[in-house]
């Protein structure tokens, strides 16, 4: 079935052929799966936003990012009043981080002010107390403002000197300077000192972009003196900061979402992420066209011996197709071999009766590929995240890609386009899309829009895709194996497209391995590096794949993951949660190719179904 495009009203459905009559149906139209939000109208920019606000839409799917008006830092002013510091080197200037990820930067310009940056003292004095601090009572020559002190050891000799105020106007050198001892008498010691520099100005080399006035601090090396230094207060200019720098000036669409009604406006909810900012309003508008998304059979008719043709006309669109399925009441007539069972009974008086029954064998389970990656099984968590039962994770790599478009390496008619990732239900679809980084969703192409993630429950067999059926399918494939292994396997044999490699256990690969054909892993599959496979990879059993690191590997064919067994290897009553963790990304590619996936699997016959024979008809004949 295809939904077509461009429909503005419901097309008419015509059912012809098939040997019967009376069947009627109606079509339904709705938004196309690729119909997303294509424009945003900002009706009020609001004010006071100092951080990126959160933007949401109902129904969810499309994502957005606000563009906040900003202003650059144009300069820095300092207030040196009360500053007490002296540098031997040059500090750095640091501006607060911009929420717009565009930080300001600058350099500090120093000036030699003759401040005292380092001081030592020598000499001895009598009548002093060990360890007591004695302030200098004299001055050093050539400058002003210096304040310091010395301490003495047990031998009355100086063992330390301290700078309390660095002063200014000095030149490096040495000089005698007095202290007053415990007897009130002056005593002279020799002070040796060097001078440093102080901050003259700050040059802004890049103004950055800020929604509010950023703070400015000094970093890098600390002043050499004093130990309790006081630095000048720095303020970013302009001051005050422009009020217009905190309004929303545009809203970008980071993902258009899908399934939105063409032409309809959807109100965007704008919530300050830090509680600051208000007044902004906007709406998003969807574009696209309606597609046929369903059918209602209003009359099943009667007398059909084969599936009739279904034709859609009108409605203003094109491309929609549909097919009919006939049945005997509620019994599906698609069977395997059909047998006629006959029994006859006769009495002593000559009465005879005969009964006949037509029965059909259900065809064996067939594993159907749902996408370039098929994740067959429920996803119980509400999001694929490290904090909530990870079951899927996809890389943030611009070169990583998954394609559901048929590569068709064997030529001939191409298969219908599949999704990049086929999942089990609607919740799984939401979770997998949520696990794909927002800036990499265009890397997943194929059916069902962008990112190409589609519910393929029906396509992969629906209720018939049970753990028992899949395990039986795998065991049957194992009978065709050209190479079989058990336990923990770390290498693969040489293979061709006709190879079937069966691993009843875990597979761990690294480096540059490659292979072809059918690869079956019942345990956990872990690999890294440039792993390349031409064919179909079936991880059915524990249903777990982990790709560590980057690499340049490629899967040409398909990858199918299903958890059919518990950790002890016992079959589950229903499919569990498949695990697909991709840590890294590199330039890996996964490309659907029906020649190396569906067509490859068709070469291997399935085991006969163990389901009961289906009764098709019964009759009784009397003689």
């Amino acid at each position: 079935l295809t939904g077509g495009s461009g429909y503005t009203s419901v097309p008419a459905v015509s059912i012809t052929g098939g040997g019967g009559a009376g069947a009627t149906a109606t079509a339904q139209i709705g938004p196309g799966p690729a119909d997303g939000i294509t424009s945003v109208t900002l009706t009020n920019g609001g004010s006071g936003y100092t951080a990126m606000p959160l933007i949401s839409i109902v129904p969810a799917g499309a994502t957005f990012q606000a563009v906040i008006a900003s202003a650059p830092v144009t300069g820095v002013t300092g207030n040196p009043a009360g500053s007490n510091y002296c540098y031997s080197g040059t500090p750095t200037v640091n501006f607060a981080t911009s929420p717009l990820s565009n930080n300001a930067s600058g350099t500090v310009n120093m000036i030699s002010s003759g401040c005292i940056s380092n001081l030592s003292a020598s000499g001895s004095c009598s009548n002093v107390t060990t360890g007591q601090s004695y302030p200098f009572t004299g001055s050093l020559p050539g400058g002003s403002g210096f304040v310091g002190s010395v301490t003495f050891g047990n031998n009355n000799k100086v063992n330390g000197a301290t700078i309390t105020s660095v002063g200014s106007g000095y030149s490096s050198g040495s000089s005698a300077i007095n202290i007053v001892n415990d007897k009130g008498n002056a005593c002279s010691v020799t002070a040796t000192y060097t001078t440093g520099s102080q901050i003259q100005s700050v040059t802004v080399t890049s103004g950055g972009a800020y929604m509010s006035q950023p703070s400015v601090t000094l970093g890098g090396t600390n002043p050499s003196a004093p130990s309790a230094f006081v630095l000048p207060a720095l303020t970013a200019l302009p001051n005050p900061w422009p009020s217009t720098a905190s309004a929303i000036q545009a809203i970008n669409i980071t993902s258009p979402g899908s399934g939105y009604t063409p032409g309809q406006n959807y109100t965007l909810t704008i919530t300050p992420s830090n509680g600051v900012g208000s007044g902004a309003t906007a709406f998003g508008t969807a574009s696209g066209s309606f597609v046929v998304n369903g059918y209602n059979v209003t009359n099943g008719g009667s007398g059909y011996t084969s599936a009739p043709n279904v034709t859609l006309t009108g409605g203003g669109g094109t491309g929609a197709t549909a097919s009919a399925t006939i049945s005997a009441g509620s019994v599906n007539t698609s069977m395997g071999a059909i047998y006629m069972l006959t029994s006859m009974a006769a009495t002593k008086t000559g009465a005879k009766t005969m009964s006949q029954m037509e029965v059909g064998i259900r065809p064996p389970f067939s594993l159907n590929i749902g996408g370039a990656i098929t994740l067959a099984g429920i996803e119980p968590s509400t999001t694929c995240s490290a904090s909530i039962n990870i079951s899927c994770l996809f890389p943030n790599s611009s070169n990583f890609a998954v394609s559901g478009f048929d590569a068709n390496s064997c030529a001939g008619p191409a298969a219908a386009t599949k999704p990049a990732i086929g999942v089990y239900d609607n919740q799984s679809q939401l979770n997998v899309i949520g696990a794909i980084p927002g800036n990499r969703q265009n890397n997943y192409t194929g059916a069902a829009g962008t990112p190409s993630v589609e519910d393929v429950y029906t396509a992969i067999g629906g209720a018939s895709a049970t753990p028992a059926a899949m395990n039986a399918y795998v065991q049957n494939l194992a009978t065709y194996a050209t190479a079989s292994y058990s336990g923990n396997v770390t290498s693969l044999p040489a293979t061709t497209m006709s190879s079937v490699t069966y691993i009843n256990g875990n597979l761990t690969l690294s480096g540059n391995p490659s292979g072809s054909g059918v690869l079956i892993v019942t345990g956990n599959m872990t690999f890294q590096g440039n792993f390349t496979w031409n064919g179909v990879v079936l991880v059915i059993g524990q249903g777990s794949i982990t790709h560590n690191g980057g690499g340049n590997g490629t899967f040409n064919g398909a990858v199918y993951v299903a958890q059919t067994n518990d950790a002890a290897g016992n079959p589950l009553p229903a499919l569990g949660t498949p695990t697909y963790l991709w840590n890294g990304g590199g330039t890996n590619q996964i490309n659907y190719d029906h020649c190396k996936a569906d067509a490859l699997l068709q070469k291997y016959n399935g085991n006969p179904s163990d389901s009961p024979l289906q009764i098709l008809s019964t009759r009784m004949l009397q003689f």
Side-chain angles (χ1 to χ4, degrees):
L1 303 181
T2 56
S5 63
Y7 288 93
T8 56
S9 61
V10 177
V13 180
S14 174
I15 302 175
T16 58
T24 59
T26 58
Q28 301 171 343
I29 63 172
D35 292 344
I37 302 298
T38 57
S39 65
V40 172
T41 301
L42 183 67
T43 53
N44 190 328
S47 62
Y49 293 95
T50 58
M52 300 298 290
L54 306 176
I55 303 177
S56 58
I57 189 172
V58 178
T63 57
F64 309 88
Q65 183 181 54
V67 178
I68 310 296
S70 62
V73 175
T74 59
V76 174
T77 183
N79 178 16
S83 298
N84 182 21
Y85 67 96
C86 191
Y87 282 98
S88 296
T90 301
T92 60
V93 62
N94 301 318
F95 296 87
T97 300
S98 169
L100 302 174
S101 300
N102 188 5
N103 300 329
S105 60
T107 59
V108 179
N109 307 309
M110 306 297 290
I111 185 172
S112 178
S113 65
C115 56
I116 304 297
S117 61
N118 292 283
L119 174 72
S120 63
S122 60
S124 61
C125 288
S126 59
N127 299 316
V128 291
T129 302
T130 300
Q132 181 175 316
S133 178
Y134 291 85
F136 293 124
T137 59
S139 299
L140 297 177
S144 62
F146 166 76
V147 178
S149 60
V150 293
T151 58
F152 296 88
N154 292 328
N155 55 5
N156 293 337
K157 289 185 178 181
V158 174
N159 70 349
T162 301
I163 301 172
T164 304
S165 179
V166 298
S168 63
Y170 297 98
S171 297
S172 299
S174 62
S175 174
I177 190 168
N178 293 335
I179 62 119
V180 176
N181 65 16
D182 294 343
K183 297 292 186 178
N185 299 320
C187 179
S188 178
V189 297
T190 300
T192 301
Y193 46 91
T194 56
T195 58
S197 58
Q198 293 186 315
I199 296 168
Q200 182 182 41
S201 63
V202 173
T203 300
V204 176
T205 55
S206 175
Y210 292 88
M211 294 179 284
S212 59
Q213 187 173 33
S215 60
V216 188
T217 57
L218 293 166
T221 181
N222 284 328
S224 300
S227 57
F229 55 83
V230 178
L231 293 172
L234 302 181
T235 303
L237 301 176
N239 184 28
W241 203 255
S243 60
T244 55
S246 61
I248 297 176
Q249 61 182 18
I251 295 177
N252 293 330
I253 301 170
T254 54
S255 175
S258 61
Y260 292 95
T261 302
Q264 182 171 324
N265 295 334
Y266 293 83
T267 299
L268 302 185
T269 301
I270 303 172
T271 306
S273 58
N274 60 354
V276 179
S278 62
T281 56
F283 62 85
T285 305
S287 67
S289 62
F290 290 98
V291 299
V292 177
N293 62 4
Y295 298 88
N296 292 320
V297 177
T298 54
N299 189 332
S302 61
Y304 290 96
T305 57
S306 62
N309 300 317
V310 180
T311 305
L312 288 87
T313 57
T318 58
T321 61
S323 60
T325 301
I326 61 173
S327 64
S330 60
V331 179
N332 191 330
T333 59
S334 175
M335 295 291 172
I338 296 178
Y339 299 94
M340 175 72 77
L341 304 180
T342 303
S343 64
M344 184 174 180
T347 67
K348 293 181 179 180
T349 60
K352 299 177 181 180
T353 184
M354 182 172 65
S355 62
Q356 290 182 321
M357 177 185 296
E358 287 182 320
V359 295
I361 296 178
R362 300 178 188 273
F365 171 76
S366 177
L367 188 141
N368 296 315
I369 302 299
I373 301 173
T374 302
L375 301 177
I378 59 172
E379 165 52 65
S381 63
T382 57
T383 180
C384 298
S385 79
S387 62
I388 309 179
N389 182 28
I390 288 183
S391 63
C392 55
L393 181 68
F394 297 99
N396 187 354
S397 169
S398 60
N399 295 317
F400 174 82
V402 182
S403 171
F405 295 101
D406 185 13
N408 195 21
S409 60
C410 55
T417 300
K418 295 185 182 294
I421 304 176
V423 296
Y424 199 66
D425 53 26
N426 291 336
Q427 184 60 57
S428 300
Q429 182 182 30
L430 294 174
N431 295 345
V432 170
I433 290 175
I436 298 173
N439 62 340
R440 299 298 177 230
Q441 298 199 349
N442 288 332
N443 291 21
Y444 299 79
T445 57
T450 302
S452 175
V453 180
E454 186 175 18
D455 179 353
V456 295
Y457 174 81
T458 301
I460 64 175
S464 67
T466 63
M470 287 191 182
N471 286 341
Y473 183 87
V474 166
Q475 291 306 309
N476 179 64
L477 266 181
T479 65
Y480 295 92
T482 55
S484 297
Y485 303 89
S486 296
N488 296 316
V489 180
T490 57
S491 63
L492 292 173
T495 55
T496 66
M497 285 303 296
S498 60
S499 299
V500 176
T501 306
Y502 175 69
I503 298 173
N504 186 25
N506 302 321
L507 175 63
T508 302
L509 299 173
S510 61
N512 304 301
S514 63
S516 302
V518 179
L519 173 61
I520 307 161
V521 181
T522 65
N524 302 312
M525 180 176 176
T526 303
F527 59 95
Q528 62 184 15
N530 302 334
F531 178 50
T532 300
W533 191 265
N534 291 299
V536 61
V537 177
L538 306 177
V539 183
I540 299 176
Q542 295 301 318
S544 173
I545 292 181
T546 301
H547 183 176
N548 294 317
N552 302 296
T554 301
F555 290 81
N556 295 312
V559 178
Y560 193 106
V561 189
Q563 185 190 16
T564 59
N565 299 329
D566 61 20
N570 302 310
L572 296 171
L575 290 177
T577 300
T579 300
Y580 203 118
L581 305 179
W582 204 303
N583 304 307
T587 56
N588 291 276
Q589 311 286 319
I590 301 178
N591 303 311
Y592 169 63
D593 187 334
H594 90 276
C595 311
K596 299 177 181 179
D598 316 71
L600 191 61
L601 293 177
Q602 288 175 3
K603 299 193 307 182
Y604 306 101
N605 295 322
N607 289 322
S609 171
D610 58 0
S611 300
L613 295 174
Q614 177 68 54
I615 299 175
L616 305 179
S617 66
T618 60
R619 58 182 174 272
M620 186 169 289
L621 304 176
Q622 294 183 347
F623 297 87

